[in-house]
Each structure stands twice: as structure tokens, then as C-alpha cells.
């Protein structure tokens, strides 16, 4: 499976310590199967000074047959997905971040909680919306697939292939990383 990661630089090696806290599936390395989504993320992340860059990776099929890989997939936004995202995004009672990782999965995949979804999930976390109300709002928003890697074991199944950078509003051809 080909996956894309949008960033503001060429990534030589994946470093979880650079991953953000309180994300949908916890601290990890996030990718999408949609090139356009990764390009949008790259532009957003680069801001005024970075270079929008999309890394293209291959997830080896062997991961599907490895019984030592602990994974979970959410096929659509349901109550299980909502509570998983809530648990990964929330802070403790004093407003501090909760220790990461918050789960034991090597790989998590499922819908992305985009900005509108994040607002609904935040309201749910604060008790302003019920689970049913939140899922109603979430289901009205087009969902995009994401896959996140959370452990060194899962990382062994990812191969970096190429990268592309945006120059003058157009993307360069894919270049080898080596």
C-alpha cells in the first residue's frame, strides 16, 4: 500500500519525539492513502518559511500476516472510534497532557478528525455534546483515511520511496531520497 506524509522538510528517519501530542490516534507517524490530503498538510505545515514536502512510503504487505503486530482499524466514525479519539486527545483533570502512549497498538487506522470533527470531539470531551450528537455531526463531514505508526516494530514495515516538493505552486516530480 502506498501512503503519503505531508511535512515541511525531507524526512531522513522517522522520529516519534517530533510527533505532536493529543492527536486522533496518539503520538505517532501519520500517513494518508490520498496524495491530495498529504499535499494540503504539507502546505499547512510549512507556513511562510518551510518548503511543502510530501514523503511517499510503501507499507509492506507482510505486515498483514505478522501476528506480532497489534493493530486496530476503524472503518467509519462510530462510538468506539469517537471514544478512542477522545481518549487520545484529552488532558488530565488539571489541564495537563496525559503520558503517551495512551494505547498499546503498533498501527491504528481510520477516519481523520479534521478541524470540524476536532471541534465536535472537543465539545464531547467537555460534556457539551452527547456521543450521539457528536457522531451525528461527525458523520455529516466527509471522512478521510489515515494510518498511524506507533512503535519501532511497525516502522520496520515502512519503506521510504520518494519525495516531492512544492515550488512556485506546482509539485516537483518524485525524487529518490538516497
Amino acid at each position: 500500500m502506498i501512503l503519503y506524509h505531508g511535512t515541511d522538510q525531507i524526512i531522513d528517519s522517522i522520529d516519534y519525539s517530533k510527533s505532536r501530542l493529543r492527536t486522533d490516534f496518539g503520538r505517532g507517524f501519520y500517513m494518508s492513502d490520498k496524495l491530495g490530503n498529504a499535499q494540503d498538510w504539507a502546505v499547512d505545515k510549512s507556513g511562510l518559511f518551510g518548503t511543502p514536502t510530501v514523503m511517499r512510503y510503501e507499507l509492506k504487505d507482510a505486515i498483514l500476516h505478522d501476528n506480532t503486530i497489534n493493530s486496530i482499524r476503524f472503518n467509519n466514525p462510530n462510538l468506539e472510534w469517537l471514544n478512542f479519539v477522545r481518549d487520545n486527545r484529552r488532558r488530565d483533570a488539571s489541564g495537563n497532557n496525559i503520558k503517551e502512549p495512551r494505547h498499546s497498538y503498533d498501527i491504528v487506522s481510520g477516519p481523520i478528525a479534521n478541524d470540524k470533527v476536532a471541534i465536535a470531539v472537543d465539545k464531547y470531551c467537555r460534556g457539551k455534546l452527547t456521543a450521539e450528537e457528536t457522531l451525528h455531526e461527525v458523520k455529516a463531514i466527509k471522512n478521510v483515511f489515515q494510518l498511524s505508526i506507533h512503535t519501532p516494530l511497525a516502522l520496520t514495515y515502512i519503506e521510504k520511496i520518494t519525495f516531492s516538493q512544492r515550488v512556485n505552486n506546482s509539485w516537483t516530480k518524485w525524487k529518490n531520497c538516497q
Side-chain angles (χ1 to χ4, degrees):
M1 170 189 285
I2 300 297
L3 298 166
Y4 304 95
H5 176 80
T7 184
D8 61 351
Q9 61 190 318
I10 297 170
I11 298 173
D12 293 320
S13 63
I14 296 170
D15 180 356
Y16 297 112
S17 70
K18 294 182 180 179
S19 300
R20 290 181 322 155
L21 298 171
R22 298 179 57 233
T23 51
D24 294 352
F25 300 152
R27 187 174 224 169
F29 187 74
Y30 285 74
M31 297 169 282
S32 173
D33 61 343
K34 303 283 189 268
L35 174 59
N37 292 335
Q39 288 173 330
D40 290 345
W41 296 334
V43 170
D44 289 346
K45 182 152 187 168
S46 64
L48 297 173
F49 304 107
T51 301
T53 303
V54 173
M55 306 298 299
R56 184 167 63 177
Y57 297 88
E58 181 177 357
L59 178 64
K60 298 177 193 174
D61 290 335
I63 199 167
L64 302 173
H65 310 291
D66 186 338
N67 294 331
T68 64
I69 295 290
N70 186 16
S71 66
I72 187 169
R73 178 180 175 96
F74 300 99
N75 291 317
N76 53 52
N78 57 27
L79 185 59
E80 182 184 16
W81 168 86
L82 176 62
N83 288 331
F84 191 83
V85 171
R86 177 203 60 205
D87 291 346
N88 284 296
R89 286 179 168 257
R90 80 165 122 193
R91 297 175 184 269
D92 68 12
S94 62
N96 298 318
N97 285 323
I98 299 170
K99 185 179 177 190
E100 300 273 351
R102 299 180 187 188
H103 59 75
S104 61
Y105 294 106
D106 299 299
I107 296 176
V108 181
S109 61
I112 293 172
N114 64 21
D115 291 342
K116 291 179 183 176
V117 175
I119 291 168
V121 170
D122 183 58
K123 287 179 182 177
Y124 175 61
C125 290
R126 292 184 290 119
K128 304 277 186 191
L129 291 177
T130 66
E132 294 76 22
E133 291 168 333
T134 305
L135 287 171
H136 183 268
E137 284 193 29
V138 167
K139 287 180 180 178
I141 301 166
K142 182 180 177 189
N143 294 298
V144 179
F145 171 85
Q146 65 184 343
L147 182 140
S148 56
I149 301 291
H150 299 274
T151 64
L153 173 61
L155 196 56
T156 64
Y157 287 91
I158 296 289
E159 291 183 349
K160 180 170 42 175
I161 301 174
T162 53
F163 71 93
S164 177
Q165 293 183 311
R166 185 172 155 187
V167 180
N168 298 328
N169 292 328
S170 39
W171 290 90
T172 63
K173 291 184 179 180
W174 293 103
K175 301 174 188 175
N176 289 327
C177 295
Q178 286 80 9

